[in-house]
Amino acid sequence: MVLRKVYTLVFVRKENQILLGYKKRGFGMNKWNGFGGKVEPNESILDAAIRELNEECGLTVETTDLKNLAHLEFTFTGEPVMMDCRVFSTNIFNGTPIETEEMLPRWFQIDQLPFDNMWPDDRIWFPYMFKNKLFYGKFNFNGVDTILNYKIRELESM
Ligand code: 6U4
Ligand code: NA
Ligand code: NA
């Protein structure tokens, strides 16, 4: 695995709710997920996380308020590029979520998440996020719906 592309994924929290977006186009279309995308050349990961959140649902957050909670690696059968995904969360934000070209945002109670319409790895690692753990996960997919194998472990620090 030589090729690696870095992606961001941001979760905004409010009381016992989490903001997800229904992806309207592209990779992960028709799934609920956090907000994020590719880190651009010469852009920091944090800057990309903030930019993608704003582009996809209109919210504004500060660099210092984003907590990096996970590092996830996704590989796909027959696909040479590893998705290197950096996951962040915050409960400090400005604005009201708006629908964009890419995402339809909606608040969910954390005990009523639409896991059947999310990436299948989410039901494996969301519990770590809700327990405020730092963690690393690696998921090997066949297509976009089947996890062939995975490993996940808590980290002391990111
Ligand atoms: P374009 O369409 O070029 O603007 P961009 O917004 O840069 O795309 P996108 O939306 O394709 O990138 O990024 C994929 C998003 O999906 C990232 O936030 C990472 C996330 N993601 C990918 N695989 C995932 C998986 N298995 N589980 C998960 N999130 C995943 O929870
Ligand atoms: Na995106
Ligand atoms: Na995007």
Side-chain angles (χ1 to χ4, degrees):
M1 186 65 51
V2 284
L3 302 171
R4 170 185 289 266
K5 220 176 182 110
V6 184
Y7 290 78
T8 62
L9 185 59
V10 175
F11 293 94
V12 175
R13 306 280 302 271
K14 184 175 76 173
E15 292 139 22
N16 60 343
Q17 300 177 90
I18 188 165
L19 185 68
L20 299 179
Y22 189 76
K23 196 139 191 300
K24 293 158 59 173
R25 60 149 212 236
F27 191 72
M29 185 174 165
N30 299 336
K31 287 176 163 59
W32 292 96
N33 202 354
F35 302 89
K38 299 172 201 77
V39 178
E40 289 174 357
N42 303 315
E43 183 182 42
S44 74
I45 295 173
L46 268 172
D47 285 348
I50 289 168
R51 175 183 54 75
E52 288 281 349
L53 177 70
N54 185 256
E55 283 176 6
E56 293 182 357
C57 76
L59 295 185
T60 306
V61 296
E62 300 287 336
T63 312
T64 46
D65 292 327
L66 279 185
K67 178 188 169 193
N68 183 198
L69 63 133
H71 179 197
L72 301 176
E73 293 181 328
F74 301 110
T75 54
F76 298 86
T77 306
E79 168 61 64
V81 184
M82 171 187 278
M83 292 187 76
D84 181 336
C85 184
R86 311 303 171 96
V87 187
F88 301 87
S89 74
T90 184
N91 55 12
I92 304 172
F93 60 93
N94 281 299
T96 304
I98 52 158
E99 182 174 357
T100 61
E101 223 189 307
E102 185 167 338
M103 290 286 220
L104 171 65
R106 192 178 130 187
W107 292 102
F108 288 88
Q109 300 290 326
I110 61 170
D111 59 355
Q112 291 172 30
L113 291 173
F115 282 121
D116 289 345
N117 299 100
M118 294 168 70
W119 282 99
D121 47 288
D122 292 359
R123 64 170 87 235
I124 297 167
W125 61 261
F126 268 46
Y128 287 78
M129 173 164 72
F130 293 141
K131 284 184 213 148
N132 286 315
K133 305 291 189 194
L134 306 178
F135 56 97
Y136 165 82
K138 181 173 169 50
F139 298 85
N140 183 17
F141 276 81
N142 190 20
V144 291
D145 292 318
T146 307
I147 297 171
L148 295 176
N149 51 65
Y150 73 94
K151 59 184 178 188
I152 185 164
R153 63 183 160 84
E154 284 180 33
L155 299 174
E156 295 293 326
S157 62
M158 286 300 300

